[in-house]
Amino acid sequence: MRPTRAGAAGFTLLELMITLALAAVLTAIAVPNMRDFIRNNRLASTSNDLLRSMHVARSEAIKRQQVIATCSSANPMAANPACSEGAFTGWIVFEDTNNNWERDNDEDIIDRQAAPEGVAVVNNNDGIVSYAATGFANSTPGQAPTSRIVICDVRGNQQVGANSTARALIIEPAGRARVTRTYSDIGTALGLIGETCP
């Protein structure tokens, strides 16, 4: 008896075509989900960074017993950044020693951040939040503190169940800040701001 030869290992053309078709279907499903995952992560990161900066401002105001402000800045990473009174696409936290709601050259910068590419931000009023030494929101005559900030991307305020694709930072009159993604909260915030996002 002759020994039988083992079958050649490998794929047939049909098996290879089926495998490639399955890979194409899985890729078509995964790519849009991955894109939304990256966008959601970018929005969550930006809103949490801004919330952290508000908490830093509030805690530093109590610790230093000094007025501390967070303001929008067009150039937060510059050597001498200034408040821009615009959208919080970039922001700085600084010690506002003279309580004029502007960063002067001799005032310390405590924190600075910039929103990543692909993120749009709209907010109400002058783009500044100020905390008194008590930790409560500081109000100065003639100034309008920001109380609503909406962070979104190209999807805008799109409803997903009870939530939205956007995020909102809400600053209460006492100074407490929180992030929400509830669709109704974001719609209310955009109504107070008087703009759409993006």
Side-chain angles (χ1 to χ4, degrees), residues 60-186:
E60 286 294 318
I62 295 168
K63 187 173 89 174
R64 298 179 186 215
Q65 286 296 288
Q66 179 65 53
V67 173
I68 304 291
T70 303
C71 73
S72 60
S73 178
N75 57 352
M77 299 305 172
N80 194 23
C83 296
S84 61
E85 297 183 2
F88 276 88
T89 50
W91 61 90
I92 56 174
V93 177
F94 64 97
E95 190 174 278
D96 192 10
T97 51
N98 57 4
N99 195 23
N100 68 348
W101 289 41
E102 289 290 338
R103 188 197 165 255
D104 301 315
N105 292 339
D106 59 340
E107 293 175 332
D108 289 343
I109 295 177
I110 300 165
D111 189 26
R112 60 175 90 204
Q113 295 285 332
E117 291 291 324
V119 171
V121 183
V122 292
N123 50 266
N124 65 343
N125 300 333
D126 295 333
I128 189 162
V129 179
S130 180
Y131 290 98
T134 58
F136 288 102
N138 183 28
S139 59
T140 301
Q143 300 288 354
T146 295
S147 61
R148 299 293 185 271
I149 303 166
V150 176
I151 302 158
C152 63
D153 54 27
V154 293
R155 297 171 294 173
N157 182 25
Q158 204 175 82
Q159 188 169 2
V160 181
N163 292 329
S164 170
T165 52
R167 306 289 189 277
L169 183 73
I170 298 173
I171 303 147
E172 304 297 344
R176 181 180 168 271
R178 66 181 174 91
V179 170
T180 182
R181 60 180 295 192
T182 306
Y183 182 76
S184 58
D185 287 347
I186 293 169

